Amino acid sequence: MNSYYILVKTKKFDVLKTEVFDENSYKKELGKIKKSAILSGINWGISMFAWMEFLFPLILNEPIELKWFNVCVWFIASILFGGSVYVIGKGKLKLIKE
């Protein structure tokens, strides 16, 4: 319950927004967001691939079958995940011009 309250309050008061006041700072922050989105996508894709293709079959005593289709699916899913992280992060970045 407390985590829901904190989530609502941080969203209501725009605590998670990053405000910058010049173009150079905006580009620098955008670069940080892009780098973290790429790393998040790679990390998520590799861990999901490992869990779904290796660990779950081992836990369930099933044979491990690597197929190019599955590799492509997880690669595309990691690109989509990283892209969504980038879009959300960019939405929280705000350039204030006076």
Side-chain angles (χ1 to χ4, degrees), residues 49-81:
F49 179 75
W51 273 99
M52 301 304 279
E53 301 300 325
F54 294 109
L55 295 175
F56 280 148
L58 281 175
I59 292 170
L60 299 173
N61 292 325
E62 295 178 357
I64 296 174
E65 298 176 359
L66 289 179
K67 297 178 183 173
W68 281 107
F69 177 76
N70 294 345
V71 173
C72 292
V73 165
W74 288 114
F75 180 73
I76 292 170
S78 67
I79 289 173
L80 292 174
F81 182 81

Side-chain angles (χ1 to χ4, degrees), residues 12-77:
K12 180 179 178 183
F13 294 112
D14 290 334
V15 173
L16 301 176
K17 297 238 183 237
T18 303
E19 296 178 347
V20 293
F21 298 100
D22 62 351
E23 193 71 31
N24 289 335
S25 297
Y26 182 79
K27 288 181 181 179
K28 186 185 286 187
E29 290 295 322
L30 199 60
K32 288 180 187 177
I33 291 171
K34 190 180 295 185
K35 182 180 177 183
S36 69
I38 291 169
L39 291 176
S40 296
I42 291 170
N43 186 21
W44 184 85
I46 290 173
S47 21
M48 287 300 292
F49 179 75
W51 273 99
M52 301 304 279
E53 301 300 325
F54 294 109
L55 295 175
F56 280 148
L58 281 175
I59 292 170
L60 299 173
N61 292 325
E62 295 178 357
I64 296 174
E65 298 176 359
L66 289 179
K67 297 178 183 173
W68 281 107
F69 177 76
N70 294 345
V71 173
C72 292
V73 165
W74 288 114
F75 180 73
I76 292 170

Side-chain angles (χ1 to χ4, degrees), residues 1-17 92:
M1 189 68 170
N2 284 337
S3 60
Y4 179 73
Y5 175 78
I6 291 171
L7 180 67
V8 168
K9 291 300 179 183
T10 56
K11 191 169 182 97
K12 180 179 178 183
F13 294 112
D14 290 334
V15 173
L16 301 176
K17 297 238 183 237
K92 293 178 183 178

